[in-house]
């Protein structure tokens, strides 16, 4: 089993997300991560999809996606030839005696404090998945009140474009 991250260029039309997600659910495949946004050209949107499976399943997913009318192009974003990022917002309970240690961890990970409340600190952090996991593991030492993750997004390195 391996994890594959794909970038999919689709027509920016109503229902395209539903059709792509429906393809996965109809075949019993789980989407590990999904992000979607309009591109620099408002006619198109870019989906970044992370999925896990064996080589046969991953190839079948690409083939099925290519059959969808709204899909214009698909590229695999391999770790060695692309940049992947994710964003996390996390709200941490921060008693007075804990604030310095929380801020020290944030500093090490280059996380940014975006809100400070009476009893909480909200932090924004971006990076690759390994960095996100390491940060969240350290934050487990504190009381995480809420957290949200965007999912993976990415682009190919260099001059390669979709």
């Amino acid at each position: 089993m391996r994890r594959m991250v794909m970038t999919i260029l689709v027509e920016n039309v109503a229902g395209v997300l539903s059709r792509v997600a429906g393809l996965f659910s109809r075949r019993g495949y789980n989407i590990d991560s999904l992000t979607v946004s309009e591109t620099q050209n408002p006619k198109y949107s870019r989906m970044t999809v992370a999925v896990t499976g064996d080589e046969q399943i991953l190839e079948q997913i690409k083939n099925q996606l290519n059959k969808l009318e709204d899909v214009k192009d698909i590229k695999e974003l391999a770790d060695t030839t692309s940049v992947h990022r994710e964003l996390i917002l996390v709200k941490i309970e921060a008693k007075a005696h804990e604030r310095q240690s929380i801020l020290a961890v944030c500093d090490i990970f280059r996380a940014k404090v975006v809100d400070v409340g009476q009893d909480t600190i909200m932090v924004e952090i971006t990076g690759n998945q390994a960095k996100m996991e390491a940060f969240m593991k350290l934050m487990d030492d504190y009381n995480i009140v809420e957290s949200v993750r965007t999912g993976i997004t990415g682009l190919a390195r260099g001059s390669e474009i979709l």
Side-chain angles (χ1 to χ4, degrees):
M1 299 288 269
R2 88 174 169 95
R3 186 169 197 200
M4 177 175 66
V5 178
M6 297 176 286
T7 185
I8 307 167
L9 188 68
V10 296
E11 295 277 345
N12 191 10
V13 294
V16 69
L17 175 59
S18 176
R19 287 188 285 282
V20 170
L23 182 145
F24 284 85
S25 65
R26 282 191 305 276
R27 287 162 181 76
Y29 303 140
N30 187 45
I31 296 173
D32 298 331
S33 173
L34 171 66
T35 59
V36 184
S37 182
E38 188 177 273
T39 66
Q40 70 281 3
N41 180 345
K43 184 178 175 184
Y44 299 104
S45 286
R46 179 186 303 266
M47 296 182 175
T48 306
V49 180
V51 63
T52 303
D54 62 30
E55 289 303 320
Q56 180 182 358
I57 287 172
L58 297 176
E59 193 60 36
Q60 184 178 18
I61 288 170
K62 285 196 279 190
N63 290 338
Q64 294 295 317
L65 285 168
N66 269 317
K67 291 179 183 179
L68 294 177
E69 184 178 319
D70 298 321
V71 173
K72 298 305 168 197
D73 198 6
I74 300 172
K75 293 244 185 318
E76 183 173 348
L77 295 176
D79 289 338
T80 57
T81 60
S82 63
V83 175
H84 301 158
R85 291 293 180 262
E86 185 173 5
L87 175 125
I88 296 177
L89 290 174
V90 60
K91 189 185 298 181
I92 307 149
E93 183 179 352
K95 294 179 174 55
H97 67 279
E98 296 174 313
R99 287 183 186 258
Q100 259 331 101
S101 60
I102 292 170
L103 293 174
V105 173
C106 291
D107 189 47
I108 290 167
F109 282 88
R110 287 184 249 142
K112 184 168 123 181
V113 175
V114 293
D115 185 64
V116 177
Q118 188 74 24
D119 299 319
T120 60
I121 295 175
M122 186 186 309
V123 176
E124 169 189 315
I125 182 168
T126 60
N128 62 37
Q129 237 180 349
K131 177 182 175 181
M132 301 294 98
E133 296 299 328
F135 178 78
M136 291 303 287
K137 186 174 169 96
L138 287 174
M139 287 297 109
D140 279 343
D141 291 343
Y142 305 97
N143 182 23
I144 296 175
V145 178
E146 288 184 284
S147 69
V148 64
R149 296 174 84 143
T150 61
I152 297 170
T153 192
L155 289 174
R157 294 184 184 275
S159 58
E160 185 179 338
I161 59 171
L162 181 64

